[in-house]
Amino acid sequence: MRIFHFLAFSLLFFVACNQETKQLPIYGERTPVEKQENGTTTVDTIYHTIPDFSLLNQDSVLITQERFNDKIYIANFFFTHCPSICPTMQRNMLELYQEFKDEPSISFLSHSIDFKYDSPSVLKEYANKLGVNDDRWQFVTGSKKEVYGLADMYMVYTQEDENAPGGYDHQGYLLLIDKEKRIRGAYDGTEKEQVALLQEDIKVLLNE
């Protein structure tokens, strides 16, 4: 019994240390910038970040990047009447939302790519049906230029396509964004294994 307890403790210690020492990558282009200070030249790295935005949420309130200051957040792109990957992706997102319900520094952001149909009232009904009951998860809409431009900055493919199910073609990635608005991970939101990896990487980022 003592051996079992020792092995169990060792395993927990190894997992905890692993989470503390694991480093998540930073996605996107990076630019070296030289700085002069006290006659010494140093090089800083400017990382790709998510730019400022202003989009309407499910309560018809303008949401900007400021809402996510000092937050880690998970972002994705969807549309409410999507007949293909969105239902699975959003159910998996909901599991994360419920898993981290007691962690105030974690937020969620879903961008609708259907700028024609997904009004704030439609997004509100969708959020209610999904079971979202607080402001930790924002559902936002905007013009095609605004939302599709943001998708490019998240490095997610989105496109109107009359031949695609529901009229839109898009990737089902869940993007992990850190407090500096940098992309730290991209996960297939339709795959349970990928969502489980995202869950663990959120914990890593919380300890960073």
Side-chain angles (χ1 to χ4, degrees), residues 140-205:
V140 293
T141 184
S143 70
K144 179 180 179 180
K145 181 179 180 180
E146 289 172 319
V147 175
Y148 285 48
L150 270 175
D152 289 341
M153 297 304 293
Y154 281 100
M155 297 185 285
V156 174
Y157 174 79
T158 55
Q159 183 67 46
E160 280 188 277
D161 185 350
E162 61 182 15
N163 296 315
Y168 296 89
D169 189 13
H170 66 105
Q171 293 174 310
Y173 287 121
L174 305 182
L175 292 307
L176 179 58
I177 312 300
D178 68 15
K179 294 180 179 182
E180 284 73 46
K181 311 301 187 287
R182 302 174 301 184
I183 303 172
R184 305 301 298 274
Y187 312 81
D188 186 337
T190 67
E191 296 289 338
K192 283 290 187 181
E193 295 81 4
Q194 287 281 295
V195 177
L197 176 59
L198 170 54
Q199 180 176 326
E200 293 306 310
D201 284 352
I202 291 171
K203 296 173 184 177
V204 170
L205 203 52

Side-chain angles (χ1 to χ4, degrees), residues 17-34:
C17 289
N18 235 15
Q19 287 183 347
E20 289 177 2
T21 58
K22 180 179 178 181
Q23 292 292 316
L24 299 182
I26 300 173
Y27 286 73
E29 294 182 359
R30 54 194 68 190
T31 305
V33 177
E34 289 189 356

Side-chain angles (χ1 to χ4, degrees), residues 18-195:
N18 235 15
Q19 287 183 347
E20 289 177 2
T21 58
K22 180 179 178 181
Q23 292 292 316
L24 299 182
I26 300 173
Y27 286 73
E29 294 182 359
R30 54 194 68 190
T31 305
V33 177
E34 289 189 356
K35 291 185 176 181
Q36 294 284 340
E37 188 174 347
N38 298 326
T40 302
T41 301
T42 59
V43 178
D44 282 347
T45 301
I46 306 299
Y47 292 98
H48 173 85
T49 57
I50 305 304
D52 292 339
F53 56 82
S54 182
L55 300 168
L56 277 177
N57 75 352
Q58 67 267 37
D59 296 312
S60 297
V61 175
L62 276 176
I63 298 298
T64 69
Q65 189 71 286
E66 289 184 6
R67 175 174 282 270
F68 301 95
N69 286 348
D70 297 320
K71 301 277 188 182
I72 294 166
Y73 71 95
I74 298 89
N76 70 345
F77 291 80
F78 83 113
F79 58 108
T80 60
H81 61 283
C82 171
S84 55
I85 64 174
C86 295
T88 300
M89 177 174 58
Q90 296 298 71
R91 281 196 301 269
N92 287 333
M93 189 95 143
L94 180 65
E95 288 187 10
L96 293 170
Y97 165 81
Q98 294 169 337
E99 172 69 21
F100 292 98
K101 66 180 184 299
D102 297 323
E103 181 49 70
S105 63
I106 303 295
S107 292
F108 300 83
L109 177 61
S110 288
H111 308 75
S112 170
I113 62 172
D114 186 351
F115 51 92
K116 300 173 184 176
Y117 177 77
D118 283 345
S119 64
S121 61
V122 171
L123 293 176
K124 183 68 172 181
E125 182 180 1
Y126 180 89
N128 288 338
K129 287 182 178 179
L130 195 59
V132 175
N133 52 23
D134 60 33
D135 64 359
R136 291 184 300 121
W137 189 348
Q138 297 292 317
F139 298 80
V140 293
T141 184
S143 70
K144 179 180 179 180
K145 181 179 180 180
E146 289 172 319
V147 175
Y148 285 48
L150 270 175
D152 289 341
M153 297 304 293
Y154 281 100
M155 297 185 285
V156 174
Y157 174 79
T158 55
Q159 183 67 46
E160 280 188 277
D161 185 350
E162 61 182 15
N163 296 315
Y168 296 89
D169 189 13
H170 66 105
Q171 293 174 310
Y173 287 121
L174 305 182
L175 292 307
L176 179 58
I177 312 300
D178 68 15
K179 294 180 179 182
E180 284 73 46
K181 311 301 187 287
R182 302 174 301 184
I183 303 172
R184 305 301 298 274
Y187 312 81
D188 186 337
T190 67
E191 296 289 338
K192 283 290 187 181
E193 295 81 4
Q194 287 281 295
V195 177

